[in-house]
Amino acid sequence: MAGGTSTGRVIHLARPNRPVLVADSLDELVGPDHGGVQLPQRLMWNPNRRFDLDDPDLLLWMYENVLREAIRRDELRQWINGRVLARVWPQLNLPRPVRQAWETRHPRLRPAA
């Protein structure tokens, strides 16, 4: 869902009352690109918050959670890798507003026409 503002900017919501947080640049996203990581509970509510990024399915699941739940830029920088994000973007299962917000800010993520 997206809503307008008095400034004309569109605000994309990850869910009700949760604006989507988008990095200014994919280059600032320097998170891990392989190995094991454990997300903080704030980003992943499941008791098993450990992800092996060398497993493609677990990498996608971690990225989907972080992109939906991040509320601080340092969370995006710490957990998301810009090169990996660009590579896996078409495979991510994201709410439409999250996808739209990221593709609006980063046109290179948009599918080729």
Side-chain angles (χ1 to χ4, degrees):
M1 175 186 295
T5 67
S6 61
T7 63
R9 285 187 15 183
V10 174
I11 297 174
H12 298 273
L13 299 177
R15 62 174 176 250
N17 299 314
R18 170 76 61 91
V20 176
L21 181 65
V22 179
D24 291 331
S25 165
L26 295 181
D27 293 334
E28 76 183 89
L29 302 175
V30 294
D33 60 0
H34 69 279
V37 299
Q38 182 166 327
L39 289 179
Q41 188 171 13
R42 208 203 70 60
L43 292 174
M44 179 66 177
W45 302 349
N46 189 316
N48 181 8
R49 299 185 311 270
R50 186 143 183 81
F51 296 87
D52 177 357
L53 301 184
D54 296 319
D55 179 324
D57 292 331
L58 293 178
L59 181 138
L60 293 174
W61 190 28
M62 188 199 89
Y63 272 49
E64 291 161 358
N65 279 283
V66 173
L67 292 170
R68 278 193 317 268
E69 300 298 330
I71 59 171
R72 296 185 305 266
R73 291 191 188 283
D74 65 313
E75 292 173 330
L76 292 174
R77 289 184 200 112
Q78 180 176 1
W79 300 111
I80 301 293
N81 182 288
R83 288 185 329 273
V84 173
L85 179 63
R87 185 185 82 229
V88 302
W89 184 256
Q91 300 159 354
L92 292 172
N93 182 15
L94 296 169
R96 182 173 291 145
V98 174
R99 186 169 292 283
Q100 289 173 335
W102 278 83
E103 288 178 358
T104 297
R105 177 81 52 88
H106 304 289
R108 80 181 216 194
L109 295 176
R110 293 181 193 149

